[in-house]
Amino acid sequence: MNFKKRMNLFMGMWLLTGAVFAQNVCLSTPNTLMVLAAPEGGKLEYVYYGNKLSETDLQNLETVQTKHEAYPEYGMNCPTETALAVKHADGNMTLQLEVMKVTTTEEADAVKAVITLKDKVYPFFVNVCYKAWQDADIIETWTEISHQEKKPVVLNQFASAYLPIRRGDVWLSHLYGTWANEGRLSQEPLTPGMKIIKNKDGVRNSHTAHAEVMFSLDGRPQENAGNVIGAALCYSGNYKLRIETHDDEYHHFFAGINEENSTYSLKKDEVFRTPELALTYSREGLSGSSRNFHRWARLHKLAHGTTLRKILLNSWEGVYFDINQEGMDQMMADIASMGGELFVMDDGWFGDKYPRKTDNSSLGDWVVDQNKLPNGIEGLLSDAKKHGIKFGIWIEPEMANTTSELYERHPEWVIKAPERDLVLGRGGTQVVLDLANPAVQDFIFDIVDKLMTSYPEIDYIKWDANMSIMNHGSQYLTSDNQSHLYIEFHRGFEKVCQRIRAKYPDLTIQACASGGGRANYGLLPYFDEFWVSDNTDALQRVYMQWGTSYFFPAVAMASHISAAPNHQTFRTIPLKYRIDVAMSGRLGMEIQPKNMTDGEKALCKNAIAEYKTIRPIVQQGDIYRLLSPYDKQGAASLMYVAPEKDKAVFYWWKTEHFCNQHLPRIKMAGLCPNKQYKVHELNRIDNRPLNFENKSFSGAYLMANGLEIPYNHQVDYHKQNDYSSRVLYLEEVK
């Protein structure tokens, strides 16, 4: 077997040393390599993670690399952080895990390695698993924990993975925020002590922080240069990321389920599977790491990731709860006339005994309000067909209101602490259904199943979740397993999603959770996209979508043109700017078209037509972030490049406006130096074209110099404003 094949599939090197076999496990992707030492009867240890090595370097690797236990356990080395901590039935709180065996299998587009560890004394086992993708530079790792002890073993800590990162000038990039301000970028050097990023929401996990991080190994983060390790925990529930900088030469990174108030009683022969941690390594900076995540997501971790998304109009900001048959028909006609492909009816369409007029009733009662929609969903589907577009609908299936027929029938289905009053959420009446309960799982599946069997022409579902778990208690779980609540909720959620996808594989589903509360790779295998934020303000979206793009591709990021003044910030931003920001993600509209002028509709119609031209590049291309809005230089810029490098789209947004200001000239990236690219401005509102319109430049010139972007638009005096933005389409001249 030649060296390349050994690296691309799987390689085990056996060297006899006394009575113990030393086995090196090598896992590779197209451009990266992970090496572990797995001697039978010894410790599983990390040796190396980074770019690929020559055969000579690989053979001599252990002479220069410091080894670290790959899945450190608690009890025999207590002063440092660990990945796994348990309590055996006899009260012993220690583990000593050693390698039993290594097994490898080839899967579609991936190689899987499982290293089985066993405690030296107890019949306690851990499978440390790795999956190296052969078409994306991602290695996933997780564990499978089990035992054959007579009584349950308590799991006190159960991280998915651990990774040592050599100390130096290492910087951490991660996301933070809150409702309507999600995906904010934070960058900081790692210093001695403990850095913890965690979530305890119970239902949504990406409003206030994200379970994804990047480590820049060469100092202050750069977008398109420098060595970067990226990590993304694929979990929809509570998580905890720990970075310990102790007294040695390494930062110690742990990622997994947040064990707080979630100790787990593991029965004999039960397998506890931790969520995957996806790892990537790039020598092309933060954007290079993003490109790796985006490719993996589109190919393997996002529902229909290689399918182009439809351009839609959502009814929420247009009418809120004021749903009616004529109004929906009018909005469908408007989006169809502008070239849109899908209309989504949002909240407010349901309820019989308790019609949904505000946010304080009716969740759980998924029947059409006949007063609002006398022709029902059939009438809406008929209207959509008449206008030549598809139809979608909003639901919030994991929730109920105490003012609902569902709650009157099944008060035992809601999450509630024993002997305590309910803690109520949105509208003063909202509660969370207990997905640990199989009956609740069946109910939620049936919501979707009844919609789709009754109305198979439904093309799209917007799935919302607007409440956290506010009171700890399951009326289904036994009293001695109440600490399983958070884990069992998300196990139940995943079971429902799996059932829906098995029966309706072609359905498009958006994950909305008070906006961007569910941007994570734990649920995206079942969802096509997520709502980045309830905040549609274009200026703030530049910042939020910039941060979100670190880990998630444009095809998954719903970005809508909304009204002015904006409904969240009340900022008045020109339509051109709102369009240019929305066109950098999955384009949609969140507006009442009948309130738009004919000129505004014409501008949107033109933008939708032009977006269709660039849609494959934006949604399937490679991202290159060029100038960060967080650098506070007055502008922000990024671009997408087609895989063949024959087409690209360049975005530029001014983020502040002053007289006689000086903005940097943006160098492009990702182009082929030897190709010639013709430049065409999209969504042009200027009275005359840019000086370089329809001119051609080499990729080498554009990447070395960029183009001089005018700071303001050349429009009639009464159309002047303090915002400017540009979208340039680059196409190879052949």
Side-chain angles (χ1 to χ4, degrees), residues 59-342:
Q59 289 173 347
N60 296 318
L61 190 61
E62 293 192 49
T63 66
V64 294
Q65 289 293 121
T66 302
K67 294 181 181 179
H68 290 87
E69 201 170 331
Y71 195 67
E73 69 272 27
Y74 178 81
M76 306 302 287
N77 186 18
C78 299
T80 58
E81 289 290 306
T82 54
L84 179 64
V86 309
K87 184 173 77 171
H88 302 278
D90 62 4
N92 193 327
M93 296 182 68
T94 66
L95 284 171
Q96 281 186 294
L97 299 174
E98 58 185 17
V99 176
M100 280 185 66
K101 62 179 180 178
V102 177
T103 57
T104 65
T105 54
E106 294 183 31
E107 301 181 353
D109 302 314
V111 173
K112 181 180 177 182
V114 178
I115 300 97
T116 300
L117 311 179
K118 180 189 176 298
D119 187 79
K120 287 185 176 181
V121 176
Y122 293 87
F124 186 94
F125 306 89
V126 178
N127 286 341
V128 183
C129 307
Y130 298 89
K131 179 183 283 189
W133 290 100
Q134 300 305 290
D135 55 359
D137 281 311
I138 297 287
I139 296 176
E140 298 175 17
T141 177
W142 69 96
T143 58
E144 297 164 351
I145 305 167
S146 63
H147 71 88
Q148 294 177 346
E149 301 181 34
K150 293 181 180 179
K151 294 182 179 179
V153 175
V154 176
L155 306 183
N156 290 315
Q157 193 170 57
F158 31 87
S160 293
Y162 157 73
L163 186 71
I165 298 170
R166 182 63 168 83
R167 284 177 71 166
D169 192 6
V170 178
W171 282 61
L172 173 70
S173 297
H174 62 101
L175 305 181
Y176 72 99
T178 186
W179 174 80
N181 194 20
E182 296 92 337
R184 301 286 298 191
L185 177 64
S186 177
Q187 296 178 316
E188 58 199 88
L190 287 180
T191 57
M194 177 71 77
K195 174 73 176 180
I196 294 178
I197 300 170
K198 66 181 181 180
N199 175 267
K200 298 171 68 175
D201 181 280
V203 176
R204 303 87 52 88
N205 70 9
S206 57
H207 273 307
T208 58
H210 268 251
E212 306 90 28
V213 294
M214 290 187 190
F215 299 95
S216 296
L217 308 182
D218 311 306
R220 186 177 293 275
Q222 301 178 71
E223 280 296 347
N224 295 294
N227 297 302
V228 173
I229 292 174
L233 185 69
C234 306
Y235 189 54
S236 60
N238 295 358
Y239 58 81
K240 181 183 285 186
L241 311 182
R242 294 171 283 152
I243 307 165
E244 182 188 37
T245 304
H246 204 241
D247 61 351
D248 61 4
E249 298 300 322
Y250 284 80
H251 304 289
H252 301 279
F253 173 58
F254 298 83
I257 295 173
N258 190 339
E259 76 284 352
E260 296 176 43
N261 300 308
S262 292
T263 55
Y264 193 89
S265 181
L266 187 67
K267 298 176 183 177
K268 180 181 179 181
D269 294 325
E270 180 186 359
V271 177
F272 185 96
R273 190 186 191 280
T274 63
E276 302 95 337
L277 179 70
L279 296 168
T280 192
Y281 182 88
S282 172
R283 290 183 290 178
E284 298 178 348
L286 299 168
S287 287
S289 184
S290 296
R291 290 191 289 274
N292 292 346
F293 278 124
H294 294 181
R295 177 174 175 81
W296 163 75
R298 290 191 298 262
L299 292 175
H300 303 295
K301 215 67 180 179
L302 174 66
H304 310 125
T306 58
T307 301
L308 299 180
R309 305 299 193 244
K310 298 180 181 70
I311 299 165
L312 64 85
L313 169 65
N314 187 72
S315 70
W316 179 243
E317 286 192 19
V319 298
Y320 292 103
F321 293 101
D322 190 18
I323 297 288
N324 61 72
Q325 205 94 36
E326 290 183 2
M328 299 299 94
D329 180 48
Q330 167 259 313
M331 294 184 85
M332 285 188 237
D334 283 330
I335 187 61
S337 70
M338 288 185 280
E341 300 154 327
L342 169 68

Side-chain angles (χ1 to χ4, degrees), residues 435-716:
L435 271 83
N437 187 336
V440 172
Q441 296 171 27
D442 290 342
F443 170 76
I444 294 173
F445 171 78
D446 286 344
I447 294 169
V448 175
D449 193 40
K450 288 176 182 176
L451 276 173
M452 296 308 299
T453 53
S454 300
Y455 316 107
E457 292 173 306
I458 289 176
D459 183 74
Y460 180 106
I461 284 178
K462 180 178 179 180
W463 180 306
D464 215 337
N466 286 307
M467 186 178 171
S468 312
I469 291 178
M470 305 294 289
N471 46 183
H472 190 121
S474 169
Q475 300 182 78
Y476 171 78
L477 295 173
T478 59
S479 59
D480 57 341
N481 281 332
Q482 288 296 305
S483 63
H484 294 194
L485 170 63
Y486 293 121
I487 293 170
E488 293 295 349
F489 181 94
H490 286 276
R491 284 178 173 174
F493 177 57
E494 186 170 39
K495 288 176 183 176
V496 172
C497 292
Q498 288 170 345
R499 291 173 65 185
I500 291 170
R501 277 305 179 197
K503 189 167 183 181
Y504 303 105
D506 299 326
L507 179 64
T508 300
I509 311 178
Q510 183 193 82
C512 180
S514 299
R518 274 186 165 166
N520 67 72
Y521 283 116
L523 61 78
L524 284 179
Y526 314 108
F527 290 79
D528 300 71
E529 62 181 33
F530 56 87
W531 185 220
V532 175
S533 177
D534 280 344
N535 184 349
T536 57
D537 176 81
L539 180 60
Q540 199 161 350
R541 275 288 186 127
V542 169
Y543 291 83
M544 293 189 289
Q545 292 177 190
W546 183 276
T548 305
S549 76
Y550 270 60
F551 303 99
F552 302 98
V555 71
M557 294 167 52
S559 184
H560 292 181
I561 303 164
S562 63
N566 178 262
H567 290 196
Q568 293 80 43
T569 65
F570 306 104
R571 195 183 345 252
T572 297
I573 295 178
L575 181 58
K576 153 74 172 169
Y577 195 98
R578 286 177 270 148
I579 288 171
D580 287 354
V581 172
M583 283 179 65
S584 66
R586 193 278 287 139
L587 177 64
M589 300 186 75
E590 192 87 12
I591 199 168
Q592 174 52 279
K594 73 178 183 181
N595 295 334
M596 299 169 67
T597 67
D598 290 342
E600 289 172 331
K601 288 182 180 180
L603 187 58
C604 285
K605 181 177 182 179
N606 177 71
I608 287 172
E610 297 201 301
Y611 183 77
K612 289 176 181 177
T613 299
I614 65 171
R615 175 161 47 184
I617 310 167
V618 175
Q619 297 187 8
Q620 301 295 318
D622 294 321
I623 192 171
Y624 291 84
R625 289 182 296 268
L626 306 174
L627 178 64
S628 172
Y630 294 91
D631 289 344
K632 301 185 184 305
Q633 295 191 52
S637 180
L638 59 80
M639 61 191 298
Y640 297 101
V641 181
E644 301 80 11
K645 297 187 180 295
D646 59 338
K647 298 175 183 177
V649 187
F650 171 89
Y651 294 86
W652 181 94
W653 305 283
K654 194 160 67 171
T655 54
E656 60 185 28
H657 183 74
F658 298 99
C659 286
N660 296 318
Q661 67 185 135
H662 301 283
L663 302 178
R665 182 160 163 167
I666 310 300
K667 297 177 182 178
M668 297 187 186
L671 303 173
C672 179
N674 299 324
K675 290 185 177 181
Q676 299 291 318
Y677 296 91
K678 184 173 69 173
V679 180
H680 168 57
E681 183 182 8
L682 305 182
N683 307 330
R684 180 168 72 87
I685 61 171
D686 293 54
N687 291 334
R688 62 177 183 271
L690 294 170
N691 292 336
F692 46 74
E693 175 69 22
N694 287 325
K695 301 294 189 298
S696 297
F697 304 88
S698 70
Y701 176 85
L702 294 172
M703 291 190 290
N705 301 279
L707 296 171
E708 195 69 70
I709 306 296
Y711 295 179
N712 301 294
H713 291 291
Q714 300 300 312
V715 295
D716 294 343

Side-chain angles (χ1 to χ4, degrees), residues 359-361 400-403 422-431 467:
D359 63 3
N360 63 6
S361 75
N401 293 111
T402 51
T403 305
L422 278 169
V423 179
L424 301 171
R426 185 185 185 200
T429 62
Q430 188 157 333
V431 290
M467 186 178 171

